[in-house]
Amino acid sequence: MKIRIRFRKFSIMKYIGHLDILRYFQKCMRRAGIDISYSGGFSPHQIMSFAAPLGVGLTSDGEYLDIAVESSEASKVSVDKLNAVMVPGMEILSYRKLDDSEKNAMSVVACADYNVFLKDEYEKKCNTALDIDSLREKKKAFYDDAKEILVTKQTKKSEKVMDLKALVYEFEINENDGRIVYYIKLSTGSVDNVKPELFLKAFYDFMNIEFDENAYQIHRLDLYCMKDDRLISLSETGEEIE
Amino acid sequence: MEKLALSDDILLKVDKPARYIGNEFNMVVKDKEHVAIRFVMCFPDVYEIGMSHLGIQILYDMMNKRDDVYCERVYSPWTDLHAIMKEKDIPLFALESQDPIKDFDFLGITIQYEMCYTNILQVLDLSKIPLLAKDRKDHDTIVIGGGPCATNPEPIADFFDMFYIGEGETSYDELFELTKEWKNMGYSRDEFLMKAANIPGIYVPKFYHPTYDENGLITSFDHDEGVPATIKRQVVSDLSLAPYPSKPLVPFIKATQDRVVLEIQRGCIRGCRFCQAGMIYRPNREKDIEVLKKNAYEMLTNTGHEEISLSSLSSSDYTDLEELVNFLIDNFKDKGVNISLPSLRIDAFSLDVMSKVQDIKKSSVTFAPEAGSQRMRNVINKGLTEEVILKGAGLAFEGGWNKVKLYFMLGLPTETKDDMRAIAILANEIAKEYYDIVPKEKRQGKCQITISTSFFVPKPFTPFQWEKMYTPEHYLDCAKTVNDAVSEQLNRKSIKYNWHHADVTVLEGVFARGDRRLSKVLLKAYESGCLFDSWTETFDMDKWLKAFESEGLTMEEYTLRERSEDEILPWDFIDCGVTKAFLLRERKNAYAETVTPNCRQQCSGCGSARYNGGVCFENKN
């Protein structure tokens, strides 16, 4: 049976890297008594895969992992059992059964959305001279009215020119508690992967303002896949086990 | 978000920030306002090594079971963070509360090996605790040391307010009661230390005064009035009743020991004459098998670890080993739990078990003959014979293994070139056994015999505590002799030889049997930048040589000199159970190449029977 689990990663857990989160969940499955399936061989490993690895320093409300289980209790019971063995900074949000024909999360992810904002310790020293209205004006010129936004992405082997206009689906500038929050929804996955910091840097370059990547907290909100030509949250895939 | 001691910027800049944030599963959280005593336990090496240490897990659990004590942890910041903390003047902090170390009542440092001594100074320095105990004031943190190196605490005596000599399970309650009394009554630090010095096992160096003659030999070791002349090493008499953690901490990053550790016994019946652990952890005490089954089940359930490892000096000597191993396999193998069995004697039983728990094609069988010739093995009292090794290896080859690891020591007392060459000859015999036993069509290529040698360092409280060591050049000559002998063997292409660096061995030897005069050398070495000396990338022999020179001492006066049997040794004031008379008897037996029977065969009257436990009382009611 295939199961898709949604979880949050926040607070000081942002310093724990993806591979360690993988090891963390392997132990959580045993602690919670989830009847997870193992591969064969002399060193069997749990059948488990993650949707889109989150880098060190990022937080998220929409992380997903798929597991295979031999048997399962109700979704609610499993969520509670897993939450009972979490550390502060990790929270299980849902546990849903997938259809056997469903592809794994990693291969279906098409899009992710993020909030990006200045970290507390940078807020004072880094606040740009621009207020929200002028930022929105710049944004209109940079994004809304643009036909294409070409950037060169440096990879290990080559350079690649990408059109961000086609890959960034939404870009908004919001205000929350007097803090400017960029909302960015963009293409993610194995084909056209865009990182939010790459897009923001292009925006700052456009404004001729220096962009300090370390100053911004990037918070992933959710991951999406295509279903019937429509983007839906991965949390809407599968069904609750009653 | 919980407040961290390090800023986001720093944490995202340093290697493995998980070393510094705590928050591990099973971390103990207490309200620091509602405890009487704050204790921070330190392993003075990097987090991944410190988190692998069983002793801290035991003490962390034991202390935190008390409502009035909050025990937290700290490890050595790696060199990248060390530089940042120095530059930005950030005080060292505990992982749990992220509070500065100097806010704590106690800093407990476990001292597992000599090459961590400069890291102790780093921890004190970054904590802003005066490095020298004599400079600390009434309200400064009490620095207490423990662990195997505390059996000769003298080289680091100046940096510690007190040492706990022996096993931590016995005397901490008494120390904590005294501490509460101290805080309530408000007497001075010295009054507190004087009272503490009368708790069994507590050594307060400032009340003891060695004097030296012009050659650096100890002429007297006086003590102040009101403290005992001898410190009695503390030993748990019944290990089955001793506290053991049921919820060990589970680190996020991969620790060196990323598994449940089940201590099945303490001490060893064998009495190898080079082995300090085999002497100071006497008597051998087995844990009841039912207690072990319960421990194993609880720890695996509460951690989710995918591996459990048995811990002891010689697992094969545990009486109910077969039952225990079968219990673990029957109950946990199907749940994806690996079972790791170090320090097993290779025989039909262990090979059968190993074939169930590991992949034969990938694994190897290990022997630790420690010396190549039978003569030399008799000297060190290593009861393993060539016949037993060849039989074990033969069984392993028949069972499908083709990798063998062999461990030896060089630089042992009375060692000759023939003894060294015997290492290569033994390896050749094992390879020959493979080609004789396994028919060509069944062989998976050549067999692989790996020889590793380390250089012998004489340790306190062993029959070899009086022996001299050698120069680095001599050690490397020994290694060359072995290497040349390997290349002369018929099966040389099946044999690989690894040896260690000699510099670290010499330094380890200096501190293992050093005296209090070395404290100032350590201070100098730390000030000149020595840190993480057990790591090859950070070890710097030149700085050490300069530190010795500037303090007017030499390494050679500690290493190249054979101690006379009536000399006052720096650790003589400690009573470790085993008596000097026994150690001297064993020394004579070594020179006579006489094997001493193990504790189950015959009691040799070592002195540790007075601890009223373990093998000394087996089958006696």
Side-chain angles (χ1 to χ4, degrees):
Chain A
M1 192 193 306
K2 286 183 180 176
I3 302 289
R4 180 159 295 162
I5 294 169
R6 179 179 182 177
F7 66 95
R8 291 176 67 208
K9 182 184 177 197
F10 57 101
S11 182
I12 64 179
M13 285 303 287
K14 73 181 199 179
Y15 301 110
I16 307 298
H18 173 67
L19 285 176
D20 293 324
I21 291 292
L22 169 77
R23 288 173 2 93
Y24 167 83
F25 269 109
Q26 289 170 344
K27 294 178 203 289
C28 288
M29 295 299 156
R30 289 202 193 82
R31 294 200 290 260
I34 301 293
D35 188 14
I36 193 163
S37 305
Y38 285 86
S39 71
F42 249 102
S43 33
H45 59 267
Q46 299 178 351
I47 311 288
M48 178 186 285
S49 66
F50 285 74
L54 195 66
V56 172
L58 277 67
T59 54
S60 174
D61 287 335
E63 291 303 289
Y64 295 88
L65 75 143
D66 290 352
I67 58 172
V69 295
E70 300 297 312
S71 66
S72 180
E73 296 182 89
S75 293
K76 195 182 169 317
V77 175
S78 301
V79 168
D80 289 347
K81 280 191 168 180
L82 281 165
N83 274 327
V85 298
M86 289 292 121
V87 294
M90 296 290 278
E91 185 188 354
I92 304 294
L93 298 174
S94 70
Y95 175 104
R96 287 162 75 93
K97 181 185 170 189
L98 294 181
D99 197 84
D100 281 345
S101 64
E102 194 85 40
K103 285 190 194 151
N104 70 27
M106 195 188 302
S107 60
V108 298
V109 168
C111 162
D113 56 358
Y114 297 87
N115 276 339
V116 185
F117 47 89
L118 273 180
K119 290 172 183 170
D120 289 342
E121 53 194 289
Y122 282 91
E123 216 183 350
K124 288 197 186 79
K125 60 177 172 184
C126 248
N127 228 344
T128 55
L130 295 174
D131 60 26
I132 189 157
D133 291 332
S134 12
L135 273 175
R136 279 178 174 152
E137 228 166 83
K138 297 273 188 192
K139 175 233 170 195
K140 188 169 181 297
F142 168 71
Y143 180 76
D144 301 353
D145 299 344
K147 293 235 158 39
E148 55 178 22
I149 307 170
L150 296 180
V151 294
T152 312
K153 190 177 169 183
Q154 205 81 35
T155 65
K156 272 179 199 145
K157 285 179 197 146
S158 63
E159 286 183 351
K160 184 181 166 193
V161 177
M162 290 198 300
D163 177 11
L164 293 180
K165 178 71 186 179
L167 298 173
V168 176
Y169 308 133
E170 285 177 50
F171 178 36
E172 287 166 20
I173 302 178
N174 302 316
E175 203 164 5
N176 186 0
D177 276 345
R179 191 195 298 243
I180 286 166
V181 179
Y182 297 111
Y183 172 80
I184 307 164
K185 188 170 188 178
L186 39 62
S187 170
T188 301
S190 45
V191 188
D192 286 307
N193 197 49
V194 190
K195 290 185 166 176
E197 58 269 34
L198 177 86
F199 176 70
L200 266 192
K201 180 162 188 328
F203 180 44
Y204 274 66
D205 285 350
F206 174 81
M207 296 190 292
N208 264 324
I209 302 174
E210 200 193 334
F211 179 70
D212 178 3
E213 207 181 296
N214 296 325
Y216 290 87
Q217 180 62 48
I218 302 172
H219 176 76
R220 187 186 271 170
L221 293 163
D222 204 355
L223 293 173
Y224 304 84
C225 61
M226 290 299 280
K227 190 161 194 189
D228 307 329
D229 287 339
R230 190 171 69 85
L231 283 173
I232 61 160
S233 163
L234 282 187
S235 64
E236 289 171 43
T237 54
E239 58 188 29
E240 287 283 301
I241 308 170
E242 299 297 332
Chain B
M1 187 193 281
E2 287 288 321
K3 188 76 190 142
L4 293 175
L6 299 173
S7 70
D8 189 70
D9 253 3
I10 293 174
L11 284 166
L12 290 177
K13 203 185 298 172
V14 297
D15 190 27
K16 299 185 184 159
R19 288 166 171 167
Y20 312 112
I21 63 170
N23 201 42
E24 303 94 334
F25 190 70
N26 289 331
M27 182 179 95
V28 175
V29 178
K30 289 188 181 182
D31 181 352
K32 62 194 183 199
E33 305 302 328
H34 289 94
V35 292
I37 297 168
R38 297 191 68 189
F39 194 107
V40 57
M41 190 65 84
C42 171
F43 191 108
D45 207 319
V46 75
Y47 176 91
E48 296 91 303
I49 292 181
M51 278 297 282
S52 307
H53 183 243
L54 175 64
I56 288 193
Q57 294 261 13
I58 293 176
L59 294 178
Y60 182 79
D61 171 74
M62 182 188 87
M63 290 184 186
N64 278 322
K65 278 190 175 125
R66 287 181 65 119
D67 289 336
D68 54 355
V69 176
Y70 187 10
C71 177
E72 307 187 29
R73 293 163 296 140
V74 63
Y75 304 98
S76 305
W78 187 242
T79 49
D80 56 349
L81 181 61
H82 175 90
I84 294 171
M85 292 176 85
K86 280 293 220 183
E87 187 207 323
K88 297 188 187 285
D89 202 28
I90 300 168
L92 188 61
F93 53 92
L95 294 184
E96 277 75 2
S97 63
Q98 300 275 313
D99 284 342
I101 301 299
K102 64 175 178 351
D103 291 357
F104 284 73
D105 299 303
F106 286 96
L107 167 61
I109 303 179
T110 181
I111 315 161
Q112 297 291 317
Y113 32 84
E114 292 80 6
M115 301 318 290
C116 74
Y117 287 176
T118 51
N119 283 45
I120 295 173
L121 297 183
Q122 177 212 25
V123 167
L124 294 173
D125 181 25
L126 293 178
S127 301
K128 297 170 186 287
I129 294 171
L131 296 185
L132 295 170
K134 70 176 169 61
D135 296 335
R136 292 179 200 140
K137 303 281 184 293
D138 271 357
H139 295 289
D140 280 326
T141 305
I142 300 277
V143 182
I144 178 168
C149 290
T151 44
N152 176 24
E154 288 302 278
I156 43 176
D158 287 354
F159 312 117
F160 284 83
D161 296 293
M162 59 176 79
F163 289 94
Y164 183 120
I165 312 291
E167 297 173 353
E169 289 99 336
T170 64
S171 279
Y172 266 113
D173 282 337
E174 208 174 323
L175 184 63
F176 289 146
E177 292 310 320
L178 177 69
T179 306
K180 289 204 290 187
E181 189 185 299
W182 171 38
K183 291 182 138 195
N184 290 334
M185 312 275 282
Y187 37 76
S188 72
R189 189 182 186 92
D190 269 0
E191 285 171 287
F192 168 71
L193 290 175
M194 179 57 83
K195 284 176 195 279
N198 283 281
I199 294 175
I202 301 289
Y203 167 53
V204 180
K206 72 179 292 179
F207 299 135
Y208 297 78
H209 313 285
T211 53
Y212 304 88
D213 68 12
E214 67 278 13
N215 297 318
L217 299 188
I218 298 176
T219 47
S220 67
F221 196 87
D222 296 331
H223 59 88
D224 292 346
E225 210 174 305
V227 297
T230 307
I231 310 293
K232 289 198 164 56
R233 187 172 199 280
Q234 295 301 293
V235 167
V236 176
S237 46
D238 189 344
L239 215 57
S240 300
L241 303 175
Y244 202 75
S246 61
K247 294 179 174 178
L249 289 148
V250 186
F252 294 113
I253 49 175
K254 208 164 168 39
T256 317
Q257 182 94 256
D258 183 36
R259 52 185 75 89
V260 163
V261 180
L262 188 65
E263 186 185 30
I264 59 174
Q265 60 185 341
R266 214 172 273 179
C268 181
I269 60 171
R270 300 273 150 187
C272 298
R273 294 180 183 125
F274 56 85
C275 178
Q276 188 188 41
M279 295 291 159
I280 65 174
Y281 292 111
R282 285 179 173 225
N284 163 266
R285 290 148 289 156
E286 295 191 337
K287 258 177 108 160
D288 183 86
I289 184 158
E290 296 308 320
V291 174
L292 291 178
K293 288 178 182 173
K294 184 166 168 284
N295 288 160
Y297 179 80
E298 286 176 346
M299 288 193 294
L300 283 168
T301 312
N302 291 335
T303 59
H305 275 308
E306 49 273 293
E307 187 167 339
I308 182 166
S309 172
L310 304 186
S311 165
S312 83
L313 293 168
S314 169
S315 299
S316 293
D317 291 326
Y318 180 72
T319 311
D320 298 318
L321 184 71
E322 195 161 344
E323 185 185 341
L324 179 64
V325 169
N326 286 331
F327 169 85
L328 295 176
I329 293 174
D330 294 347
N331 285 275
F332 302 113
K333 189 81 185 81
D334 291 346
K335 295 176 186 162
V337 175
N338 298 321
I339 297 155
S340 130
L341 304 160
S343 77
L344 271 195
R345 189 162 50 242
I346 300 302
D347 56 23
F349 164 70
S350 61
L351 289 170
D352 178 50
V353 168
M354 283 161 63
S355 68
K356 287 181 196 159
V357 301
Q358 46 184 238
D359 189 345
I360 294 174
K361 284 200 275 310
K362 287 182 192 151
S363 65
S364 55
V365 292
T366 303
F367 296 92
E370 305 295 359
S373 68
Q374 194 58 47
R375 186 201 76 80
M376 194 76 253
R377 284 194 293 272
N378 291 348
V379 169
I380 61 177
N381 206 41
K382 184 85 195 182
L384 203 54
T385 62
E386 179 167 329
E387 193 192 339
V388 169
I389 296 168
L390 290 179
K391 187 158 176 254
L395 285 170
F397 294 145
E398 281 168 8
W401 277 271
N402 68 352
K403 297 189 192 75
V404 175
K405 286 186 193 159
L406 299 170
Y407 291 95
F408 299 93
M409 282 186 294
L410 292 170
L412 288 161
T414 77
E415 183 181 55
T416 66
K417 293 231 174 218
D418 283 343
D419 296 316
M420 300 171 206
R421 280 191 284 267
I423 292 172
I425 295 166
L426 179 61
N428 187 62
E429 288 298 312
I430 294 172
K432 185 169 173 289
E433 191 79 3
Y434 176 79
Y435 297 110
D436 285 351
I437 285 181
V438 187
K440 250 192 182 134
E441 60 275 16
K442 283 195 173 174
R443 286 178 205 159
Q444 308 268 348
K446 285 201 286 278
C447 68
Q448 300 170 33
I449 317 282
T450 308
I451 303 172
S452 300
T453 61
S454 60
F455 301 116
F456 169 60
V457 176
K459 295 279 164 110
F461 297 105
T462 65
F464 293 154
Q465 65 177 357
W466 295 275
E467 300 302 326
K468 67 170 183 152
M469 287 180 68
Y470 300 91
T471 59
E473 295 73 35
H474 175 89
Y475 288 123
L476 294 179
D477 274 350
C478 294
K480 186 171 182 307
T481 302
V482 177
N483 202 35
D484 289 348
V486 167
S487 60
E488 289 161 11
Q489 302 303 314
L490 196 61
N491 293 306
R492 59 186 172 273
K493 288 191 173 155
S494 304
I495 305 172
K496 190 172 181 297
Y497 175 44
N498 304 318
W499 63 93
H500 286 226
H501 294 283
D503 284 346
V504 177
T505 301
V506 169
L507 199 56
E508 186 187 329
V510 169
F511 286 109
R513 293 184 297 165
D515 53 38
R516 217 182 268 196
R517 298 176 301 157
L518 288 169
S519 288
K520 55 187 189 206
V521 177
L522 269 165
L523 200 56
K524 198 64 152 194
Y526 175 68
E527 282 165 358
S528 68
C530 292
L531 195 60
F532 287 104
D533 296 304
S534 58
W535 296 72
T536 36
E537 67 257 50
T538 37
F539 179 72
D540 188 340
M541 191 62 170
D542 286 342
K543 283 187 181 140
W544 276 105
L545 287 168
K546 282 188 190 123
F548 272 87
E549 197 184 342
S550 78
E551 296 305 327
L553 291 170
T554 63
M555 298 196 192
E556 290 75 19
E557 63 192 273
Y558 290 95
T559 52
L560 297 186
R561 189 173 67 81
E562 180 179 330
R563 276 78 167 155
S564 82
E565 290 180 358
D566 53 9
E567 186 175 324
I568 301 174
L569 301 170
W571 53 91
D572 272 351
F573 68 96
I574 293 173
D575 172 0
C576 246
V578 292
T579 61
K580 208 170 202 176
F582 167 73
L583 296 177
L584 283 168
R585 277 205 306 279
E586 278 297 278
R587 186 179 197 219
K588 291 198 175 60
N589 286 336
Y591 280 101
E593 298 168 18
T594 307
V595 171
T596 298
N598 75 48
C599 297
R600 283 217 178 90
Q601 293 168 324
Q602 186 193 312
C603 174
S604 301
C606 70
S608 64
R610 81 185 101 144
Y611 287 120
N612 286 321
V615 67
C616 311
F617 295 87
E618 272 172 19
N619 307 320
K620 290 177 197 165
N621 285 315

